[in-house]
Amino acid sequence: MMWGIIATWTMAYDGIKEAGEILQAAGNAKDALEKAIIDVENGPYYKSVGYGGLPNKEMIVELDAAFMDGDTFDVGAVGAIQDFANPISIARALSTKKVNNILVGEGAAKYAAQHGFERKTMLTERAKIHYDNKIEQLKTEDIKPYDGHDTVGMVCLDQGNSMAAGTSTSGLFMKEPGRVGDSPICGSGFYVDSKVGGATATGLGEDLMKGCISYEIVSLMKRGMSPQEAVDKAVGDLNRELISRRSQAGDISVVAMNNQGQWGVATNIEGFSFAVATADQPATVYVCENHEDGTTYAEATEAWLNNYYTTRKAPLKRLK
Ligand code: GLY
């Protein structure tokens, strides 16, 4: 029986490995996906998700997350929530309600507290050093504080042909307080239909939303495209439209899986990586290259992975 899970970025590897065990044992897509995203949220070294995520411009960590059930189209999301350990679980709980599915800021925190979700101070010492160093760099260098952003997004298929999708992110580093990106927005950061497939995005939320890119990919698959054809077309089209109308396009990277467990990936940046596991292949990390005519990818080598983990965990020095 087929099952599968695909996720943005290397940080998802451990989570999708665990999810794969759940799916292999005939567990359901919703549980497997939530568990996999919790694993990323709990990791202290991932700068754009959960604990250790980088703060907004007032040095406050504000988190966005979403959950979608591909059978029922139930969607739940939180935006700009502070100091809860696992926003994905709050989003999943909200998805089961008839109304009030998307809560932001204080309202989201109030709901989470009332329903017993774990509180946690999400700003780490490491994130504070990143923040202080960025403030120093901005004094002398002409850089954008927003560079290098990695949201986790996942699409999951179980043996019963049910699918789920989810996202979790701390959003852009040094964003305005209250800023919400694509990740909790249905159709932009994620979309899934168990009768077709699902997609999820990472990159510059403000630009991803302009193309409702996850819905677009699922819609293309619904019209008969393979996941790879759909992501190539959706990313290529949005990238071209943004450049022609606005002279530039922000970072756009997507992964998709259909309800047969076939998958696809496309990006307009260098260095995008993703992780996938299916009934036919063990959990694997791939690294992408972006070319004018599309995206290619190759399995991450051991040296690449060692370098990734060493860099992520290396002690950080204060610039001042
Ligand atoms: N893609 C995540 C964000 O822009 O917040």
Side-chain angles (χ1 to χ4, degrees):
M1 294 289 268
M2 186 41 89
W3 56 263
I5 182 162
I6 190 163
T8 55
W9 303 108
T10 306
M11 62 185 160
Y13 174 75
D14 289 335
I16 67 146
K17 212 169 149 192
E18 273 182 61
E21 285 160 20
I22 296 171
L23 296 163
Q24 177 66 33
N28 77 60
K30 296 194 286 273
D31 293 343
L33 177 129
E34 182 185 1
K35 197 158 181 18
I37 292 184
I38 285 174
D39 184 86
V40 187
E41 289 178 338
N42 289 346
Y45 294 108
Y46 306 130
K47 293 185 293 182
S48 307
V49 180
Y51 184 64
L54 295 180
N56 67 16
K57 76 176 194 189
E58 294 180 355
M59 221 214 248
I60 295 167
V61 179
E62 290 187 329
L63 302 166
D64 302 338
F67 183 92
M68 183 166 185
D69 177 335
D71 291 347
T72 58
F73 290 164
D74 285 339
V75 176
V78 289
I81 191 169
Q82 295 177 23
D83 288 336
F84 280 89
N86 297 115
I88 186 66
S89 300
I90 305 166
R92 182 177 177 181
L94 288 169
S95 77
T96 62
K97 290 160 67 75
K98 196 160 184 190
V99 293
N100 299 309
N101 298 122
I102 304 179
L103 298 180
V104 301
E106 280 179 23
K110 198 177 243 184
Y111 172 87
Q114 281 167 354
H115 290 80
F117 288 95
E118 183 191 347
R119 282 186 182 280
K120 185 167 172 179
T121 300
M122 300 301 269
L123 182 65
T124 61
E125 284 308 310
R126 196 175 172 85
K128 281 186 205 165
I129 298 174
H130 275 295
Y131 180 93
D132 290 338
N133 285 354
K134 193 62 82 174
I135 297 281
E136 282 308 306
Q137 281 177 295
L138 287 169
K139 285 181 189 164
T140 54
E141 295 171 40
D142 186 19
I143 50 169
K144 289 180 284 177
Y146 305 134
D147 285 347
H149 176 75
D150 344 323
T151 293
V152 71
M154 300 193 187
V155 177
C156 185
L157 164 72
D158 67 29
Q159 293 191 35
N161 279 107
S162 290
M163 297 192 77
T167 58
S168 188
T169 187
S170 53
L172 299 182
F173 187 20
M174 294 206 174
K175 63 191 177 182
E176 292 291 333
R179 179 261 183 194
V180 169
D182 61 303
S183 303
I185 306 297
C186 181
S188 287
F190 63 95
Y191 194 80
V192 65
D193 175 346
S194 302
K195 291 184 181 169
V196 180
T200 185
T202 174
L204 183 65
E206 282 73 0
D207 277 2
L208 293 164
M209 285 189 272
K210 292 179 174 79
C212 299
I213 188 137
S214 294
Y215 182 80
E216 173 68 6
I217 292 164
V218 176
S219 171
L220 291 168
M221 290 195 287
K222 193 171 182 175
R223 282 181 260 152
M225 284 193 189
S226 70
Q228 190 58 51
E229 288 168 341
V231 294
D232 280 339
K233 178 162 172 50
V235 170
D237 286 355
L238 180 57
N239 191 52
R240 267 188 302 277
E241 287 296 337
L242 291 171
I243 291 171
S244 80
R245 288 160 197 252
R246 307 168 63 81
S247 78
Q248 59 180 6
D251 293 2
I252 303 171
S253 302
V254 299
V255 294
M257 181 173 276
N258 68 14
N259 67 355
Q260 310 298 306
Q262 297 164 325
W263 49 268
V265 56
T267 183
N268 70 350
I269 62 164
E270 285 309 322
F272 176 56
S273 65
F274 64 101
V276 61
T278 71
D280 295 336
Q281 77 171 111
T284 309
V285 171
Y286 292 93
V287 186
C288 296
E289 276 186 30
N290 167 38
H291 307 280
E292 206 135 282
D293 53 350
T295 299
T296 57
Y297 50 84
E299 195 173 327
T301 60
E302 212 173 304
W304 189 94
L305 287 169
N306 286 341
N307 180 53
Y308 170 85
Y309 288 112
T310 309
T311 317
R312 287 283 155 151
K313 295 178 184 179
L316 270 186
K317 281 206 193 104
R318 278 192 180 278
L319 291 176
K320 196 178 159 197

